[in-house]
């Protein structure tokens, strides 16, 4: 994210293991790469010293240098490590302090007789922050693959589904950035396209429902006319987001709204998915929709560690940005076990995006963001909590 990006913008052609031939002996590929390259940069760290194959590589390249009368090895110390004599006597670049990286890269480019690294345009941030993912952002939505597949299979067998979870668990993102794109790709429902209409109940849920379906009266409604407005559409999906507004704002029309939804669910080629906060379970239990919800619901838990790491790392990789592994671990550790924390993690990543160093996002950016607030608010607060306190 930093070194290779800088060398690329400086016009340096770089060969790495990513270009090795699949199925070829690894050491043979190393040997061919060393022979074809003018210089060999060894990025030294405890991980490098722990791998016997890499230690053999630097011996190999030094032997090539003796044969050709050159000295092609450039050691770059990425993390503090005790070097063996064969490397310790070489003049090395010290890159252990990220603040020195610009000077390290400038010196390296000068040694390689390359130009100065050009500035790197900052890619668009792939994280939504405090809001839910939209359907058009589905390419950056990760961590809920199992739940998306579960929803697909359940809708295949019944036209109603209730997605229930705590506030901030990602229910809306799951539906709009996970389920909807998956439905468009799926062959489980036969030929033809989906026509999707979304609404929030608000204070007048019947009016919102009628407006979303383009009709004045729900009771005689059938999806045929609406489907005919879109080429090749033969299935209607109604998404009711923030369903709990029926209980908090639209209670005057609640019974009629539930009757209207039941009517839609009974229609051929008509599907209904609702998203509701788990703290409204008592209201759901006493509603006329409860038998349907009880039989056809998916309860969403907070992301597990694997899902959380995917939600952090993969959107950045999509736009060619690499997040320091220590930062990923810190975010995951600070978020574990905290309900509703996912939007705050996304918001922290939006703020950190301003601190990109080329295409690399370091742990130091996170520490600079949260540590001053953590000291003021109390050391017992985690970094995520400190960031939340700034919102």
């Amino acid at each position: 994210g930093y070194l290779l990006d800088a060398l690329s913008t400086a016009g340096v052609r770089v060969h790495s293991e990513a270009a090795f031939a699949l199925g070829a002996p690894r050491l043979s590929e190393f040997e061919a790469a060393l022979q074809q390259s003018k210089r060999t940069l060894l990025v030294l760290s405890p991980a490098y010293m722990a791998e016997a194959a890499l230690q053999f590589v630097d011996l190999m390249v030094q032997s090539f240098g003796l044969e050709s009368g050159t000295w092609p090895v450039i050691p770059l110390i990425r993390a503090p490590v005790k070097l063996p004599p064969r490397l310790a006597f070489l003049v090395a670049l010290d890159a252990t302090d990220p603040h020195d990286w610009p000077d390290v890269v400038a010196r390296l480019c000068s040694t390689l007789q390359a130009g100065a690294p050009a500035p790197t345009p900052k890619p668009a941030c792939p994280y939504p922050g405090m809001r839910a993912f939209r359907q058009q952002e589905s390419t950056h939505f990760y961590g809920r693959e199992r739940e998306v597949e579960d929803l697909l299979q359940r809708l295949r067998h019944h036209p109603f589904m209730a997605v229930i979870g705590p506030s901030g668990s990602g229910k809306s993102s799951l539906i709009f950035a996970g389920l909807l794109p998956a439905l468009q790709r799926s062959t489980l429902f036969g030929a033809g396209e989906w026509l999707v209409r979304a609404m929030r109940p608000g204070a007048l849920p019947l009016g919102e429902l009628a407006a979303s379906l383009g009709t004045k009266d729900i009771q005689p409604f059938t999806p045929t006319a609406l489907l005919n407005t879109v080429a090749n559409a033969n299935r209607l999906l109604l998404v009711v987001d923030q369903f709990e507004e029926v209980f908090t704002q639209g209670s005057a029309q609640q019974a009629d709204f539930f009757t209207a939804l039941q009517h839609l669910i009974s229609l051929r080629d008509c599907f209904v998915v609702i998203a509701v906060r788990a703290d409204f379970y008592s209201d759901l239990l006493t509603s006329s929709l409860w038998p349907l919800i009880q039989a056809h619901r998916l309860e969403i838990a907070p992301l597990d560690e694997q899902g959380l790491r995917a939600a952090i790392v993969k959107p950045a990789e999509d736009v060619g940005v690499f997040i320091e592994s220590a930062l990923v671990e810190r975010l995951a550790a600070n978020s574990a076990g905290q309900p509703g924390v996912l939007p705050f993690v996304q918001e922290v990543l939006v703020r950190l995006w301003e601190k990109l160093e080329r295409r690399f996002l370091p742990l130091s950016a996170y520490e600079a963001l949260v540590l001053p607030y953590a000291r003021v608010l109390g050391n017992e607060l985690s970094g995520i909590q400190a960031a939340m306190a700034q919102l």
Side-chain angles (χ1 to χ4, degrees):
Y2 191 93
L3 179 61
L4 293 185
D5 180 79
L7 292 176
S8 175
T9 63
V12 178
R13 293 180 58 194
V14 177
H15 194 79
S16 70
E17 285 193 70
F20 285 4
L22 295 177
R26 188 168 174 234
L27 286 179
S28 298
E29 288 296 293
F30 268 121
E31 182 178 13
L34 296 174
Q35 291 175 328
Q36 295 166 13
S37 302
K38 292 182 179 179
R39 307 300 291 267
T40 299
L41 183 69
L42 303 180
V43 183
L44 302 175
S45 66
Y48 180 98
M49 302 310 301
E51 187 170 346
L54 294 179
Q55 296 180 48
F56 183 77
V57 166
D58 67 62
L59 287 172
M60 188 187 302
V61 69
Q62 289 184 53
S63 69
F64 288 156
L66 289 173
E67 292 174 4
S68 61
T70 63
W71 208 255
V73 180
I74 303 175
L76 184 148
I77 303 175
R78 172 64 185 91
V81 63
K82 184 177 181 180
L83 297 177
R86 69 180 186 276
L87 295 176
F89 79 92
L90 298 176
V91 178
L93 287 167
D94 185 352
T96 56
D97 186 347
H99 292 99
D100 296 333
W101 288 1
D103 293 335
V104 168
V105 169
R107 185 177 179 188
L108 179 59
C109 288
S110 176
T111 300
L112 298 173
Q113 298 181 332
T120 301
K122 188 175 295 184
C125 180
Y127 305 101
M130 293 296 293
R131 62 169 177 80
F133 277 88
R134 303 185 179 105
Q135 184 174 355
Q136 60 267 33
E137 298 166 329
S138 63
T139 54
H140 301 318
F141 179 69
Y142 293 96
R144 292 291 191 187
E145 292 78 10
R146 184 179 60 233
E147 288 88 347
V148 169
E149 181 61 26
D150 198 355
L151 282 173
L152 279 177
Q153 295 296 338
R154 294 191 188 205
L155 280 175
R156 181 188 177 197
H157 297 291
H158 194 275
F160 173 78
M161 199 70 217
V163 178
I164 304 174
S167 177
S169 59
K171 300 179 295 296
S172 298
S173 295
L174 171 63
I175 293 172
F176 288 100
L179 175 63
L180 297 190
L183 284 174
Q184 302 292 0
R185 297 189 301 266
S186 177
T187 59
L188 292 173
F189 300 86
E193 303 296 330
W194 288 84
L195 176 61
V196 178
R197 290 291 183 264
M199 61 164 287
R200 289 178 56 172
L204 300 171
L206 279 176
E208 295 294 335
L209 177 59
S212 66
L213 298 178
T215 184
K216 293 182 178 180
D217 194 347
I218 298 297
Q219 205 56 40
F221 173 83
T222 63
T224 305
L226 186 58
L227 290 172
N228 287 338
T229 63
V230 177
N232 204 31
N234 59 10
R235 290 178 297 276
L236 172 65
L237 172 63
L238 173 70
V239 176
V240 186
D241 198 14
Q242 308 289 328
F243 187 80
E244 61 274 4
E245 290 180 355
V246 175
F247 306 114
T248 60
Q249 301 179 37
S251 56
Q253 296 185 352
Q254 185 182 120
D256 290 337
F257 180 64
F258 291 166
T259 299
L261 289 183
Q262 289 171 321
H263 169 68
L264 292 176
I265 295 165
S266 70
L267 298 175
R268 181 181 175 84
D269 298 324
C270 192
F271 296 73
V272 177
V273 174
I274 68 173
V276 59
R277 278 166 41 193
D279 45 334
F280 284 84
Y281 246 119
S282 59
D283 298 284
L284 294 173
L285 282 165
T286 57
S287 74
S288 60
L289 284 181
W290 175 245
L292 267 175
I293 294 172
Q294 184 181 30
H296 306 286
R297 70 185 190 273
L298 178 65
E299 294 168 322
I300 302 299
L303 279 176
D304 58 20
E305 277 198 33
Q306 181 179 354
L308 186 59
R309 285 187 175 89
I312 293 170
V313 172
K314 290 185 176 295
E317 290 180 348
D318 287 340
V319 294
V321 169
F322 299 87
I323 303 179
E324 187 174 0
S325 58
L327 172 54
V328 177
E329 295 306 313
R330 181 76 65 85
L331 288 171
N334 285 352
S335 306
Q338 295 196 43
V341 76
L342 185 58
F344 294 101
V345 174
Q346 301 278 2
E347 180 66 18
V348 167
L349 287 164
V350 169
R351 294 184 175 216
L352 290 179
W353 207 254
E354 292 297 309
K355 307 298 182 182
L356 277 183
E357 298 177 9
R358 294 195 167 272
R359 291 184 176 269
F360 180 69
L361 189 55
L363 173 63
S364 58
Y366 177 68
E367 292 175 334
L369 173 68
V370 304
L371 285 182
Y373 290 87
R375 293 192 190 101
V376 172
L377 297 170
N379 289 332
E380 74 278 1
L381 290 177
S382 73
I384 291 293
Q385 288 173 313
M388 288 162 59
Q390 302 176 46
L391 300 179

